[in-house]
Amino acid sequence: MSVRSRVESFDAEALAFELRKLPDSGRWLIGFSGGADSYALLHALTSLDGLGREVIALHVHHGLQPQAEEWALRCADVACQTGAQFQLLRVSVQRMSEQGPEAAARSARYEALAQQMRPGDVVLTAHHRDDQAETLLLQLLRGAGPAGLAGMPPLVPFGKGWHARPLLGQTRETLQEYLKRRGLGWIEDPSNSSLDPARNYLRHRIMPALQARWPAAGRTLARAAGHQAETLELTATLGRVDMEAVAADEPGALSVSALRVLSRARLHNVLRVWLTDKGLPAPNAARLEQVRSRVLAAATDAQPHLRWPGGELRRYRGALYAMTPLSPHDPTQVIDWDLNGDPLDLPHLGCRLCVADLRADVEGLRRAGRAISIRFRRGGERCRVRGTAHSRALKSMLQEAGVPPWERDRIPLLYVGEQLHEVIGYWLCEELDS
């Protein structure tokens, strides 16, 4: 089979050619909606001889359409016919989400898929060349840079393994023709015909007009996305070189003074790469511009921060830190802990305390039978570090230790009765004289 025929038609052999490029471990989990694209993927995959892997069709039930229950039953039946395992995943989608219903459903769908993964698994989705062309146009209209214009990668780390898109060389038409030749029908989601979502408008109105004038438009746009992916790879390489040059003494932070001397383009690039490597969404161009004007240019003793959906930047002592937005925290709370070995979850801090985390004599505290609790800094706390003669204000100790201000009130404090016994992760405190 020639390379051209692989592009212009689809069958199990064409899929096998793409699957040989994927990591050779784990199970294959297919995002199976029952539509033509995912049906063609599932059918072709299960038609291959000697797979040597488990194939599991995962159907995400969003509950957004009246036919959702009927579709789930239909997908279970199709999976059974192909010999694949089937799993139904029910998710709840916030219709009034700031993301919009389509984006909220997509986020819920991928989160559900990731939760089913074991180490080394590969999630296969049926995105094709027309999807790639539509993605590029959408990103162009949003003013995206190379990261957006690179479109959807064929393989990317995801969950505990990988997310692969082995059909990016195929078209919607070739996948439907594959099913028609075999007399296989698929689910048609009526929402796909609505012109309200931007992607649907491009699909039904813009792409046909482009292809009427330029028949190869879909292939050309997908190729353009590939060029942008190469550009993105180069800018990421440069960004990591710059990251080493502007690294602060504090692990994971960047030096404010070093960032200030970078050109606008290199500053924006290193920030995007840094945030992406941390698993944080990059801010838009306007927010990136504010990093220089508001955060880096602030007075030396200022503590500016910049927030956007999914991330925020904070500055302290000449270093720039990036993190997910801090959740609300009540420093007045008192949490009882019996030290019986069970971890103590602190979900608002995104952490879990284990007995093994403590420096205190846990057995001695258990024998003493005194009330143990976790509290947080409210002001006025003092600690006499073991081996020293005098107590000191906890506030001063944390400042001298270089603990950023936003972390100080979130450090768990172990109390025995009303006595501060340990600043967890930092110091053991001797009992103060009354």
Side-chain angles (χ1 to χ4, degrees):
M1 177 180 288
S2 68
V3 172
R4 178 174 178 80
S5 63
R6 284 193 193 101
V7 173
E8 299 303 332
S9 64
F10 177 69
D11 55 23
E13 184 184 348
L15 178 61
F17 178 82
E18 299 299 329
L19 294 178
R20 286 194 286 270
K21 304 173 185 178
L22 303 183
D24 187 21
S25 64
R27 305 171 299 169
W28 277 325
L29 311 180
I30 298 181
F32 183 50
S33 68
D37 309 333
S38 62
Y39 193 173
L41 174 60
L42 177 63
H43 188 276
L45 180 63
T46 53
S47 298
L48 294 171
D49 295 326
L51 282 177
R53 298 196 195 196
E54 286 185 77
V55 177
I56 306 174
L58 302 178
H59 178 75
V60 180
H61 186 310
H62 302 90
L64 296 177
Q65 296 291 339
Q67 308 96 318
E69 290 292 341
E70 177 186 338
W71 292 344
L73 293 173
R74 172 85 176 276
C75 287
D77 184 55
V78 168
C80 181
Q81 292 174 21
T82 63
Q85 300 177 46
F86 178 79
Q87 193 167 348
L88 177 64
L89 309 177
R90 295 180 183 271
V91 299
S92 177
V93 178
Q94 296 182 358
R95 295 176 181 267
M96 303 305 293
S97 168
E98 293 181 0
Q99 302 173 283
E102 292 82 15
R106 183 170 58 251
S107 296
R109 182 163 61 250
Y110 279 113
E111 182 178 351
L113 294 175
Q115 289 174 353
Q116 304 306 311
M117 298 182 73
R118 299 174 187 169
D121 282 351
V122 180
V123 169
L124 303 174
T125 57
H127 297 105
H128 46 70
R129 193 172 73 195
D130 295 324
D131 292 325
Q132 188 76 296
E134 293 162 8
T135 297
L136 176 62
L137 286 176
L138 279 173
Q139 295 295 339
L140 276 170
L141 293 170
R142 292 168 180 165
L149 300 181
M152 299 176 289
L155 182 66
V156 67
F158 177 70
K160 297 178 181 178
W162 303 88
H163 176 196
R165 299 179 175 93
L167 304 184
L168 287 179
Q170 302 296 328
T171 67
R172 184 177 291 108
E173 183 180 6
T174 60
L175 298 175
Q176 292 181 359
E177 284 299 322
Y178 171 88
L179 297 176
K180 290 176 181 177
R181 289 196 304 270
R182 290 157 179 79
L184 302 174
W186 58 88
I187 293 172
E188 288 284 3
D189 186 339
S191 67
N192 289 337
S193 62
S194 169
L195 296 181
D196 290 336
R199 181 177 290 273
N200 285 1
Y201 188 85
L202 284 174
R203 178 176 304 165
H204 297 300
R205 292 289 178 86
I206 304 303
M207 286 302 298
L210 289 176
Q211 289 170 330
R213 178 63 178 83
W214 296 282
R219 183 185 303 113
T220 303
L221 289 171
R223 186 168 66 247
H227 296 330
Q228 291 298 316
E230 291 181 358
T231 299
L232 181 63
E233 183 178 350
L234 292 174
T235 58
T237 299
L238 174 61
R240 292 190 177 94
V241 171
D242 283 343
M243 271 174 55
E244 293 184 10
V246 301
D249 293 335
E250 296 75 11
L254 301 182
S255 165
V256 170
S257 59
L259 289 171
R260 282 173 174 164
V261 301
L262 290 179
S263 68
R264 176 180 178 273
R266 291 183 75 163
L267 171 64
H268 290 185
N269 184 55
V270 74
L271 289 173
R272 289 192 189 99
V273 174
W274 179 52
L275 293 168
T276 299
D277 286 355
K278 287 180 173 291
L280 298 172
N284 60 27
R287 280 284 190 271
L288 282 174
E289 192 60 38
Q290 289 174 350
V291 175
R292 185 188 295 275
S293 62
R294 284 180 45 187
V295 180
L296 301 183
T300 303
D301 59 350
Q303 296 175 13
H305 77 276
L306 184 69
R307 188 168 183 167
W308 65 94
E312 68 180 5
L313 297 177
R314 291 178 179 265
R315 205 188 89 182
Y316 177 61
R317 288 188 177 180
L320 188 66
Y321 298 81
M323 65 205 75
T324 56
L326 297 178
S327 58
H329 170 62
D330 177 12
T332 67
Q333 61 188 307
V334 177
I335 305 170
D336 294 330
W337 193 16
D338 58 13
L339 300 182
N340 62 7
D342 292 335
L344 180 65
D345 285 318
L346 300 174
H348 69 292
L349 299 181
C351 70
R352 166 181 287 188
L353 290 181
C354 299
V355 170
D357 297 327
L358 303 178
R359 303 183 185 189
D361 176 8
V362 174
E363 290 300 325
L365 292 175
R366 287 171 177 160
R367 289 194 299 270
R370 299 176 64 184
I372 307 295
S373 61
I374 294 295
R375 306 185 188 188
F376 300 91
R377 193 175 74 89
R378 300 170 60 182
E381 296 85 0
R382 301 187 69 82
C383 172
R384 178 161 65 90
V385 177
R386 289 195 173 180
T388 62
H390 304 288
S391 68
R392 299 185 58 205
L394 180 57
K395 177 181 179 179
S396 299
M397 295 170 65
L398 293 172
Q399 287 176 336
E400 290 183 11
V403 179
W406 58 89
E407 294 182 4
R408 296 173 194 165
D409 294 347
R410 295 167 179 262
I411 296 173
L413 308 177
L414 183 71
Y415 271 75
V416 178
E418 295 301 315
Q419 170 67 44
L420 175 58
H421 190 74
E422 180 176 347
V423 182
I424 297 177
Y426 293 90
W427 307 284
L428 272 174
C429 304
E430 297 279 8
E431 190 162 348
L432 301 178
D433 295 332
S434 56

